[in-house]
Amino acid sequence: MVEAQSIVVPPRPEIAAGARIGSMAEYERLYRLSLDDPETFWARQGERLTWFHPWDVVFDHDYANTDFGWYLGGRLNACYNCVDRHLAARGNQDAIIWAKDEPGEYERISYRRLKHEVSRVANVLRAHGVRRGDRVCVYMPMIPELAYTMLACARIGAVHSIIFGGFSSEAIRDRIIDAGARLVVTANEGLRGGRRLRLKETVDRAVDGLDQVRTVLVARRTEAEVPMRPGRDHWLDAECRTQRSTCTYEWMGAEDPLFILYTSGSTGKPKGVLHTTGGYLVYAAMTHELVFDHRPGDVHFCAADVGWITGHSYIIYGPLANGATTVMFESLPTYPDPGRYWQAVDDLGVTTFYTAPTALRAVARAGDAPVRAHSRRSLRVLGTVGEPINPDTWRWYHDVVGEARCAVVDTWWQTETGGVLITPLPGVTPLKPGSATLPFFGVQPVLVDDEGTVLEGRGVSGNLCLSRTWPGQARTVWGDHERFRETYFTRFPGLYFTGDGCRRDEDGYYWITGRVDDVINVAGHRLGTAEIESALVAHEAVAEAAVVGFPHEIKGQGIFAFVILTMEAEQADPRQLQGALIEQVRRVIGPVASPDAVLISPGLPKTRSGKIMRRVLRQIAAGEYDDLGNLSTLAEPAVVEGLIAAHREMAATLAPDPPPEVS
Ligand code: WT7
């Protein structure tokens, strides 16, 4: 326990906002300080924000109850920090540049206008009864109204829960129920790569018969008319016109919830990861500044969707807390051609660019010409996130996109971490293609073997854990604190377990080797195999299912489903059935979880105690039949032969993949 104290921040100009870290020696010195004297270090960082009331305690942690708190006693408002406080110095500066689906179409929103738009939406929410602490579910395309809605929630102390557009109505419904939301914000349609996404229709199916939802606000992205249920559904633009462009903000406690974001794990339904206000915002702002070497006048383009944590932290909260200009990209990297990113870079003078390896692989396969067609002169820092980046793609990014003059920052983090934890500092950290390099300030990675023994020193591989709390750490799983403890803190007592495998090399650099649990990472999106399996077995034709990841040229990992049919279904046409099962997963979870391959299987490899040997399935799915290792524990070794034969036959008939849609 840290004793309550009033805020005393010793002068340490070198770690204040805006200070540059100029050398490795400086990084090492400050990193040491962040671990040796975290109170001083983090108190300094807290000053990045404007507080209405100072904190008493910089941080507190109680591993026994998995209770973490930052800037306790402090009061602030996230929206005020992202919008209002910038008006005096940069009211006319662009806060958001909206890059619309059609190339060359942009809309600029100044900080002043942002304040007015956000205030109107906040007033609309209040008018519909949303109060401090209430949850608001949001299912929207990449349009400015999405940013307004998030910030409006933050302004009035409501907790937003954004649901990525690739999730189905069933997935939306589950999240609305779990979060206990009474109001949902959506749009009539979205536009992406020239196609229309029928979002309102999906929301209608999600809330149909769900009395809990009293209000659906509908932003207008296209001219399309959609059915509006009287009393429940309202057009957001019409509602905003009746509201003033000024709105008071709540004084929130540092530990009051800011948002919930659902993410998949090894078991059960997705968890509502909860982030709170003060620590999260300090950490998002600090990492955005240091990881991207943010400077006044920069144009920051994070190409993720706001529906994922990357978009929360590095499109909205981090950049706006720093008074930056941030780009919201509505389209696809390949629309209308694979030069789309670089055209936007030139059109807008983008300085810092951030995307997933999957998107880079998707555009790199078109060769260098679409890159060279644009100057990219403004670029300074190139970031990647979401999945391991293969060294070839890293080099292409560095040499071709960045012309060897931009730093590439491979940033490792998770929904639960709120912000980047392992990353190079651009221009400072010597880079190694494929390594996320070194821990950020205050972060203490620990590698442990499966028995929980800490692996000291260099040249070791193990399970990646974190032994310190940091301000951006998730505080709980919404409505289920025991699940939070159980998921992250019981596998290795006293440590936060990330679920990732990792190697620390001879230079102390970290190399993330991928998930060691039953989570797969498809195109930088995280999915639980158990979730997909339960969607499959809910289909009447399926008796049993096992899902694994397999290497995919563009997406990193693809989804491979082994299914065993019920007796009645065995006569069905296998092609048709495969299509129906893919459709089933799209219906239950959404297009993001669409299996790349469904193999109707004669059996599953199980141990005598009935446990599925996933290792064997992963090898078969990858077509690596030759060295299946020790199979002596299998109950029925013949199953493996049958599976190999079925996989061979399938591989022979599989058509080459169409290029995937990546976000
Ligand atoms: C998982 C977290 C963090 C925002 C996007 C994903 C993988 C993330 C890297 C990286 C290798 C990475 C990990 C992690 N991951 N960044 N730079 N190198 N792997 O957030 O959906 O919560 O997924 O993504 O496996 O655990 P998420």
Side-chain angles (χ1 to χ4, degrees), residues 309-310 385-388 410-415 500 512 515 521 526:
I309 190 72
T310 308
V385 59
E387 48 181 325
D410 174 358
T411 63
W412 173 86
W413 57 298
Q414 310 179 297
T415 303
D500 281 320
I512 308 297
R515 301 289 304 198
N521 193 322
R526 178 166 152 191

Side-chain angles (χ1 to χ4, degrees), residues 185-207:
V185 189
T186 187
N188 57 344
E189 292 187 325
L191 285 177
R192 211 144 171 268
R195 292 217 311 254
R196 284 161 191 270
L197 314 170
R198 303 193 192 291
L199 302 179
K200 170 67 163 61
E201 215 174 277
T202 307
V203 166
D204 282 344
R205 271 182 275 126
V207 303

Side-chain angles (χ1 to χ4, degrees), residues 139-141 162-168 172 197 199 202 305 307-308 591-592:
Y139 186 71
M140 291 175 90
I162 301 182
I163 305 161
F164 173 64
F167 286 110
S168 69
I172 299 170
L197 314 170
L199 302 179
T202 307
D305 192 287
W308 305 107
V592 279

Side-chain angles (χ1 to χ4, degrees), residues 37-51:
D37 186 2
E39 255 110 52
T40 304
F41 184 85
W42 288 114
R44 249 288 174 238
Q45 299 312 318
E47 289 194 327
R48 290 173 178 274
L49 303 184
T50 303
W51 298 79

Side-chain angles (χ1 to χ4, degrees), residues 351 376 379-382 398 401-408 431:
T351 49
R376 291 152 287 119
L379 285 173
R380 205 176 67 236
V381 180
L382 302 171
H398 182 266
V401 177
E403 290 175 342
R405 85 192 148 70
C406 300
V408 168
L431 305 173

